[in-house]
Amino acid sequence: MSNHIKRPDSKIGNQLELLSFHIPKSAGTSFRNMLRDVYGAEAVLRFDTPLRGGGKFRVEQQPFTGRTLPNRVRVLHGHFSWPMVSNILELSPDIPKITWLRDPVDRVVSNYFYLSERLRDIIDEEGRGVDILAKMERSLREYAQTEINQNRMSKFLEGLHLKDFRFVGILEHMDEDLQHMADAMGWTIQEAYQHNATGKRKREITPEERAIIEACNAKDLELYREALEFRKQGYWKS
């Protein structure tokens, strides 16, 4: 089977019980590790697709060549949207879904500096004796104003309403929401995960940069505020 996005007449069989939508820079790695502790390492599979058609999908960062997912796999965790993953896999619309959201401005800033640091590691200017980054690297403002980088949370949750999720966690309340999610899902989680992942150094930005990012991510700001209101109402508590 090709690793190109599958048409509806060639969907992949599976035994899935849960979809975990990982929005970039929103506690994905630590939460995936927790899922593996809850379900077992072999039961949780990383699955990534482009947000729109025309691309490839990958399993554990490698092209997928099977016709079904292994029977042991119960959870998909990765970068995918509902329209794309439901077009690839045989899924019930009612399959439980979970995700984590983050303040949109902080998410954009974190993603920008993460990619910038990755680029520096890959190029290794000092080691190679070159000077490319100063000429090629985009500023935070330029990054934020590029359409592909805007409203990423809304794009990953396309085709779904927040009420379609079994649980939506808020990164800024990770300690508390991890326990709420565990209660809602019937999980027992290790104490090691009861720590706030937002403790990393926060990048400082100018008021002008913040205003630009907010203007470029109006949909995500609305989504985030709606999620905070649902959280305040206790919507996702068990």
Side-chain angles (χ1 to χ4, degrees), residues 118-128 130 132-133:
R118 284 290 305 275
L119 180 60
R120 292 175 185 277
D121 289 341
I122 292 170
I123 293 178
D124 184 21
E125 286 194 334
E126 183 176 352
R128 297 185 181 184
V130 297
I132 299 173
L133 284 171

Side-chain angles (χ1 to χ4, degrees), residues 34 83 91 99 118 164 172-173:
M34 194 195 83
L91 293 172
T99 195
R118 284 290 305 275
D164 294 325
E172 289 77 12
H173 300 281

Side-chain angles (χ1 to χ4, degrees), residues 2 12 21 27 36 45 53 66 69 73 84 86 95 121 128 130 146 148 161 175-176 185 187 214 232:
S2 167
I12 298 171
F21 292 72
R36 287 175 171 170
L45 196 68
L69 296 182
V73 175
M84 293 305 297
S86 62
I95 185 171
D121 289 341
R128 297 185 181 184
V130 297
T146 303
I148 195 174
H161 188 274
D175 282 354
E176 188 176 359
M185 301 298 296
W187 298 340
E214 288 179 347
K232 182 178 178 180

Side-chain angles (χ1 to χ4, degrees), residues 109-153:
V109 173
S110 177
N111 212 163
Y112 169 76
F113 283 105
Y114 167 76
L115 294 174
S116 178
E117 289 167 1
R118 284 290 305 275
L119 180 60
R120 292 175 185 277
D121 289 341
I122 292 170
I123 293 178
D124 184 21
E125 286 194 334
E126 183 176 352
R128 297 185 181 184
V130 297
D131 184 17
I132 299 173
L133 284 171
K135 302 180 181 70
M136 298 297 295
E137 191 172 15
R138 288 178 293 176
S139 67
L140 174 58
R141 177 186 300 189
E142 291 168 328
Y143 174 85
Q145 291 177 323
T146 303
E147 194 281 333
I148 195 174
N149 301 320
Q150 298 172 5
N151 296 304
R152 296 282 281 172
M153 295 197 302

Side-chain angles (χ1 to χ4, degrees), residues 20 79 82 90 140 143 160 204 238:
S20 173
H79 302 312
W82 174 250
E90 295 177 357
L140 174 58
Y143 174 85
L160 297 169
E204 295 296 329
S238 58

Side-chain angles (χ1 to χ4, degrees), residues 170 225-237:
I170 302 295
R225 289 164 182 162
E226 184 177 22
L228 287 176
E229 182 59 30
F230 283 148
R231 181 184 185 276
K232 182 178 178 180
Q233 296 170 8
Y235 183 81
W236 292 295
K237 288 185 180 181

